[in-house]
Amino acid sequence: MTVPTTERGARTRAALVAAGRTVFERDGFTDSRIADITREAGCATGSFYTWFASKSELLSVVLYEAQRDVVVPRLDATAADPFVTLTEGHRRYFENYQRNARLMLVLEEVAAVDPAFRELRRRRGEALARRTATTIEKMQGDGLADPALDPYATARALDGMVSHLAYYAFVLGDTFDIDALVETTDRIWRNALSPRHQT
Amino acid sequence: MTVPTTERGARTRAALVAAGRTVFERDGFTDSRIADITREAGCATGSFYTWFASKSELLSVVLYEAQRDVVVPRLDATAADPFVTLTEGHRRYFENYQRNARLMLVLEEVAAVDPAFRELRRRRGEALARRTATTIEKMQGDGLADPALDPYATARALDGMVSHLAYYAFVLGDTFDIDALVETTDRIWRNALSPRHQT
Amino acid sequence: MTVPTTERGARTRAALVAAGRTVFERDGFTDSRIADITREAGCATGSFYTWFASKSELLSVVLYEAQRDVVVPRLDATAADPFVTLTEGHRRYFENYQRNARLMLVLEEVAAVDPAFRELRRRRGEALARRTATTIEKMQGDGLADPALDPYATARALDGMVSHLAYYAFVLGDTFDIDALVETTDRIWRNALSPRHQT
Amino acid sequence: MTVPTTERGARTRAALVAAGRTVFERDGFTDSRIADITREAGCATGSFYTWFASKSELLSVVLYEAQRDVVVPRLDATAADPFVTLTEGHRRYFENYQRNARLMLVLEEVAAVDPAFRELRRRRGEALARRTATTIEKMQGDGLADPALDPYATARALDGMVSHLAYYAFVLGDTFDIDALVETTDRIWRNALSPRHQT
DNA sequence: AATGAATGAGTTTTCATTCAT
DNA sequence: AATGAATGAAAACTCATTCAT
């Protein structure tokens, strides 16, 4: 992961990152070749190693760049209705997932193959859930959420539900549209979290 | 996927399937070698091809055999409490997932790489969700489920939540135990499905 | 090249020879598999080696059987017109070649690969030419053939011309029909052999 | 069939072509190994595939280079004696065939195995015959050739005779020398083509 | 005799990475 | 920095032949 000094170097490196994304999306990680990437980038095979130590390293960079603009949905415990921001968040999440669907598949692939990527994913999931859990706790304190729920486990479950829906919809090609996804997600979050009167 | 005629053939084939599972679990799909499998099975490399056309084909068989004893959780719309069978179903599902965790990772891997496996997964998910959806509809008719929910989308979401939890817990190694998983899942399903008084 | 004792053995062996011809014609020698032949013959792989020591050996038998009904054209030095029998001989030769065209290609193949087959072919060609040469000599003695011709070399040349025409016509798929082939061959033999007045 | 950019690449590629010829001549096509060729060329196995996609492709190049200096015998319809150039042409043809005899055998081999090479051969034969046919026609017009002959078929037959003789002589190892071959060929062409007084 | 499975040496081909220029 | 060729260790797969039943 060498950092370019010259203008020319920066250009080559950028071309390789862009080409990497293109090729990874088209062929997946395992089935992509360094030679394909350099051809796509319009440079010589050898030049790849001027900037990256391996295919994995390039993938890391590609994924990192792609995830910079990912918005994670969040509850807003301070709002009158804590769910309003969530709805919008989910919509953005689904839209983003759709845009990056092929890349998500690649992520799935390397997560399955490489423990390091797996650990990364676990950490990300954990961090996200922890934040949601905190909000749930606060909502429980305010009587806005079912006190019987384990905040962290619930957060995990609800987060997972969303990413799973996105995977089925945009990677596996299930047909339902984003509006329907958002609506369902929204309602289930509300139902699941809201305090029950019966039970 | 040739079928053995003789006793001896059956033995060799079975040894290869068992060895396949062992090796796939240990090394993953991409990183496993036919030679490792035959060594594990105690036969010659060539014998592999007597029974299977490729590594993929062996994996199909291994996965098929592993999934034969998978129990899928189901709601029971006819019971007084439709959720009781579900709780037990989820427990069994998690236990099973834990037992087959490494194999599930392999499944994830090939689903990411091979469109055929992906399609298989989509179909399985769809079939499962369709069944759950039918039950939800019935429950809605009986006033036992929130009529505002789209039955199919909800089924998808809840199913997905469960498998996602299992993945994080047993593949990525999140720490919480099965009891906690079952409890959380159970409560979220109840909350999500039950008709709301407010709203 | 074991000889069958039992009725059953004879049947299997015959089936293998027939299957061999079919498969060799379809796939050529190098690209044919013992397994294909036994499948075609409806017997087990192992049974092949009960009757033949190798694929080459089977081919020898197949070729031998096919060449049993080959008629070689010959001049008749005792006839008023020595060429009349020749015309008919050439016709039969071409007809036969056409029937066995695929097999001739296989013969070409093994002759190119295997010195033993090459030697066989050389011998056959030599024997045939020698016979023709004898007739030419007699014709020269009777003033019916150009005395300037080297009988053996001429025989070789004319024989070769015929087989070459057959190869181009029926193996390579040149379009001209047998009548035309016979006519041309006939006329060239006559012209080539007949004594010249000028020269 | 990649084209080298650098001097070094050109050297390696040329070495492979030379080595290919050596090995093909020694072992034939089917019985030659890529590894033998690269060893002979003094480079690594992988380097073969930098320049050629397959063994077939290398053979094409080898044959193409070998055929560049092949001289085809031709009649000269404008000369007083149309056969004088032919005699010299045949001599050169035989000499050349003798020099390339092993390669001709390889050509025979691939023509027998590979339809693409067969088609190539057919085309070449056709083109050559067509040219000879044109000359024969002209000779017929000038009263120099037997008008009863079908020019194209005759051309085919006479050409075939020559190549067949060469094959028997230099590939199968028939003993007669080039002088004898030329003389016989020459005389037969003359006899065959010249207008007959009787008939 | 027939069967059908087992064997394993032998080859092609791929491709990440290195290297000389 | 870039280039483009060289490298050679894999790995999959084939198939004639052998062998136990």
Side-chain angles (χ1 to χ4, degrees), chain B residues 35-83:
Chain B
D36 297 340
I37 296 169
T38 52
R39 189 178 315 114
E40 179 78 25
C43 69
T45 323
S47 302
F48 180 92
Y49 294 93
T50 305
W51 304 112
F52 308 98
S54 67
K55 212 166 54 153
S56 266
E57 200 179 276
L58 174 61
L59 178 62
S60 294
V61 176
V62 168
L63 289 176
Y64 178 78
E65 306 244 313
Q67 282 187 345
R68 278 204 310 205
D69 50 34
V70 167
V71 188
V72 240
R74 56 169 77 197
L75 291 162
D76 182 355
T78 67
D81 178 353
F83 296 103

Side-chain angles (χ1 to χ4, degrees), chain A residues 105 108-109 112 118 121-122 146 148-149 153 156-157 160-161 163-164 167 172 174 184 187 191-192 194 196, chain B residues 105 108-109 112 118 121-122 146 148-149 153 156-157 160-161 163-164 167 172 174 184 187 191-192 194 196:
Chain A
L105 190 55
E108 212 65 50
E109 184 189 346
R118 216 140 64 222
R121 152 175 287 197
R122 202 188 59 71
D146 181 353
L149 294 165
R156 261 277 198 262
M161 183 185 77
S163 71
H164 196 94
Y167 174 80
L172 296 194
D174 257 10
T184 299
R187 177 150 289 269
N191 281 5
S194 302
R196 326 279 15 232
Chain B
L105 189 55
E108 212 65 50
E109 184 189 347
R118 216 140 63 222
R121 151 174 289 198
R122 201 189 59 72
D146 180 354
L149 294 165
R156 261 275 199 261
M161 183 186 76
S163 72
H164 197 93
Y167 173 81
L172 296 193
D174 254 13
T184 298
R187 177 149 289 271
N191 281 5
S194 303
R196 323 286 5 237

Side-chain angles (χ1 to χ4, degrees), chain C residues 27-59:
Chain C
D27 302 334
F29 183 72
T30 305
D31 287 346
S32 61
R33 315 283 149 234
I34 302 277
D36 296 341
I37 296 169
T38 52
R39 188 178 317 115
E40 178 78 25
C43 70
T45 323
S47 304
F48 182 91
Y49 291 90
T50 306
W51 304 111
F52 307 98
S54 68
K55 204 163 61 151
S56 271
E57 201 181 275
L58 173 61
L59 178 63

Side-chain angles (χ1 to χ4, degrees), chain A residues 108-130:
Chain A
E108 212 65 50
E109 184 189 346
V110 289
V113 166
D114 186 334
F117 278 97
R118 216 140 64 222
E119 180 56 17
L120 216 70
R121 152 175 287 197
R122 202 188 59 71
R123 286 235 194 84
R124 246 188 99 82
E126 192 181 319
L128 179 56
R130 217 171 279 293

